[in-house]
Each structure stands twice: as structure tokens, then as C-alpha cells.
């Protein structure tokens, strides 16, 4: 049973990775925008903001608890600001990061 779970997780992980590549390459093309654009633009950006915030809180908390302040301050904080500020501003402006 453990082998099945292992294969399942690898397969699902590979599918998510492939979907991510497809979205990265074709995400801003006309066919993709017609099908998905109006449905997920705002929700996808807010979802990314929530995910980045959750990652920051959990990873930074664990880093601080383990005494790894360098990771918390030199890696996590700049990465969080670089991602969260444009996402938050885009959400404030109606969900369009490009505004």
C-alpha cells in the first residue's frame, strides 16, 4: 500500500508541475483567457497572496523557533515583500496586478 501512495503522490505532483508549466506558457493567451480569465483572475491573485502569506508565517515562525534568524530576515522577508506587495496592490486595484 505504501508503494501505491508513493506512486500516486509522484503522479499527482507531476501533473501539478505540468499544469503549472502549461499555465506559465499559455496563461495569457487568448484561448486561455476566454475559458478561464473572467473566472479566476481575481481569485487566483488573492489565492497566491494567501499562499505567500501562509508560507511566510509558517516558514519564518519555524526558522525563528529553530534559531535560524538569517533565513527569516535575509531570505523570507525580502521574498515575501517582493511577492506580497505587488499582489496586495493588485488586489486593492481590483485584482489586476498589471495596473
Amino acid at each position: 500500500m505504501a508503494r501505491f501512495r508513493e506512486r500516486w503522490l509522484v503522479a499527482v505532483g507531476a501533473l501539478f508541475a505540468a499544469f503549472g508549466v502549461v499555465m506559465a506558457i499559455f496563461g495569457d493567451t487568448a484561448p486561455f483567457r476566454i475559458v478561464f480569465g473572467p473566472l479566476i483572475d481575481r481569485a487566483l491573485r488573492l489565492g497566491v497572496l494567501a499562499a505567500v502569506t501562509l508560507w511566510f508565517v509558517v516558514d519564518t515562525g519555524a526558522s525563528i523557533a529553530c534559531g535560524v534568524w538569517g533565513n527569516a530576515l535575509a531570505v523570507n522577508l525580502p521574498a515575501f515583500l517582493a511577492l506580497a506587495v505587488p499582489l496586495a496592490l493588485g488586489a486593492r486595484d481590483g485584482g489586476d496586478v498589471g495596473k
Side-chain angles (χ1 to χ4, degrees):
M1 188 63 171
R3 187 78 172 148
F4 171 77
R5 284 191 308 261
E6 193 175 290
R7 288 181 178 166
W8 175 264
L9 291 172
V10 169
V12 171
L15 287 173
F16 269 93
F19 183 68
V21 170
V22 169
M23 287 204 39
I25 294 171
F26 300 109
D28 204 26
T29 61
F32 187 89
R33 302 232 21 89
I34 289 169
V35 175
F36 297 109
L39 301 174
I40 64 171
D41 275 351
R42 184 172 173 81
L44 181 59
R45 288 181 177 94
L46 291 176
V48 171
L49 180 59
V52 167
T53 302
L54 180 63
W55 155 78
F56 177 77
V57 169
V58 171
D59 194 73
T60 302
S63 294
I64 291 170
C66 294
V68 187
W69 285 89
N71 183 60
L73 297 175
V75 177
N76 289 3
L77 186 59
F80 177 74
L81 293 174
L83 294 167
V85 170
L87 287 167
L89 292 174
R92 183 195 70 187
D93 294 336
D96 188 1
V97 175
K99 279 189 177 178

